Amino acid sequence: MEKRFAGKVAIVTGGSRGIGEAIVRRLASEGARVYATFNSNEEKAKAIQDELTNDGFSVRFLRVEITSEQSVKELVDEVIKEVGRVDVLVNNAGITRDTLLMRMSEKDWDDVLDTNLKGAFLCCKAVCRTMMSQRKGKIINIGSIVGINGNPGQVNYCSSKAGIIGLTKSLAKELASRNILVNCIAPGYVETDMTEKLTEEQRNAFATMIPLKRAAQAEEIASVVAFFMSDDANYVTGQVLSVDGGLAM
Ligand SMILES: NC(=O)c1ccc[n+]([C@@H]2O[C@H](COP(=O)([O-])OP(=O)(O)OC[C@H]3O[C@@H](n4cnc5c(N)ncnc54)[C@H](O)[C@@H]3O)[C@@H](O)[C@H]2O)c1
């Protein structure tokens, strides 16, 4: 694959599986130096790191708890110590704790908002100073179409993803004068461990609603991340791009 991202440094949160893993593989294969985070399943993270390193790519996994300001700061400090810059941050890590509002506990709410929204906020804040002094940078947030459309049984998750859109647009306005571009990708239904939890019935119902009549593969989200990271998207900021097979039209 063409090495469009040679010399670029990218941080990808939640890179050890699903969409995050596909993003790590895609950016590394295009020559980026990738720092990916995991918070569980160390063996899987190490296996991906070893495989990609053996293939000649630059990937390092670090254990990070993205709900902790200290842990996120240590990640960014480590990247700066090693390579002195951050070109791209991909806020991908996210969780679900689905249930109807009447049954949703305060903890279900807090866990999802803390990981999906506060985690992204902390990561943006941690890379911001470096990107501002570089007068260049890109932040790519992984939202969801349910942050636009809503979804029953997911008031916590949808609120967090709607929040990601607000974060994206506000930060895009705050940082545009420093040439830092902030965009959001809103995937529809993607086949990953996260959607494995859905029942067969729920999955079929989703598939029939999607104009393209199929779920996305994680690689189809990663390719849009690569677009935002590329110079082809240097005049795009504050945007939310649905990558959903037409679901949210
Ligand atoms: N799968 C889908 O259909 C779908 C659709 C729309 C949006 N998304 C979004 O895409 C992103 C990735 O989803 P996925 O399906 O690959 O999920 P996944 O569950 O397969 O992976 C999530 C990743 O986030 C990491 N993570 C979770 N909590 C963390 C924490 N506190 N600290 C650090 N890392 C943490 C996990 O370790 C894991 O690597 C999420 O933001 C999700 O909301 C997914």
Side-chain angles (χ1 to χ4, degrees):
M1 195 171 259
E2 192 196 338
K3 298 280 187 276
R4 280 192 297 180
F5 303 144
K8 298 243 186 260
V9 177
I11 295 176
V12 181
T13 67
S16 60
R17 64 181 213 187
I19 295 170
E21 177 184 349
I23 295 169
V24 169
R25 289 180 181 277
R26 176 66 189 250
L27 303 190
S29 69
E30 292 207 52
R33 188 159 182 161
V34 181
Y35 291 86
T37 80
F38 68 96
N39 75 333
S40 58
N41 207 344
E42 184 160 13
E43 273 162 39
K44 174 90 190 294
K46 181 144 187 354
I48 300 168
Q49 178 177 293
D50 289 348
E51 180 201 323
L52 291 171
T53 306
N54 286 340
D55 289 346
F57 304 122
S58 175
V59 174
R60 182 171 166 209
F61 270 89
L62 296 134
R63 180 182 287 278
V64 177
E65 174 47 62
I66 57 156
T67 61
S68 154
E69 185 163 31
Q70 183 57 30
S71 182
V72 169
K73 186 179 175 304
E74 282 167 14
L75 158 73
V76 176
D77 286 351
E78 179 66 16
V79 175
I80 299 299
K81 196 176 88 187
E82 262 194 37
V83 284
R85 58 184 297 111
V86 180
D87 297 291
V88 176
L89 164 68
V90 184
N91 281 312
N92 165 77
I95 59 168
T96 52
R97 296 282 182 272
D98 298 351
T99 189
L100 296 172
L101 175 79
M102 292 294 283
R103 286 193 214 122
M104 190 173 285
S105 66
E106 188 178 354
K107 186 170 181 339
D108 291 334
W109 174 271
D110 287 345
D111 285 352
V112 169
L113 269 289
D114 277 359
T115 304
N116 299 6
L117 188 54
K118 183 178 144 186
F121 155 72
L122 291 174
C123 293
C124 289
K125 199 172 167 205
V127 298
C128 215
R129 190 180 299 277
T130 302
M131 286 186 176
M132 282 165 84
S133 62
Q134 290 168 185
R135 292 204 155 262
K136 200 173 181 185
K138 290 190 174 181
I139 297 174
I140 303 160
N141 296 318
I142 306 298
S144 170
I145 50 145
V146 299
I148 302 166
N149 282 8
N151 203 24
Q154 291 197 307
V155 294
N156 49 1
Y157 183 75
C158 298
S159 302
S160 73
K161 294 301 186 179
I164 283 287
I165 294 174
L167 174 83
T168 299
K169 294 185 177 184
S170 304
L171 201 54
K173 287 185 175 178
E174 266 186 41
L175 297 177
S177 63
R178 306 298 183 104
N179 195 29
I180 300 167
L181 313 186
V182 189
N183 289 290
C184 175
I185 295 169
Y189 169 29
V190 189
E191 272 176 10
T192 67
D193 291 342
M194 187 180 267
T195 45
E196 278 272 291
K197 290 181 219 154
L198 298 174
T199 63
E200 187 73 27
E201 199 186 346
Q202 284 172 315
R203 269 186 260 160
N204 289 340
F206 258 127
T208 53
M209 285 188 298
I210 300 167
L212 289 185
K213 297 288 174 223
R214 66 172 179 87
Q217 296 301 306
E219 291 73 19
E220 292 172 304
I221 309 303
S223 60
V224 182
V225 172
F227 163 69
F228 277 122
M229 180 166 168
S230 78
D231 289 343
D232 291 338
N234 282 351
Y235 199 60
V236 183
T237 194
Q239 300 306 302
V240 181
L241 181 53
S242 296
V243 183
D244 64 354
L247 184 56
M249 278 192 281

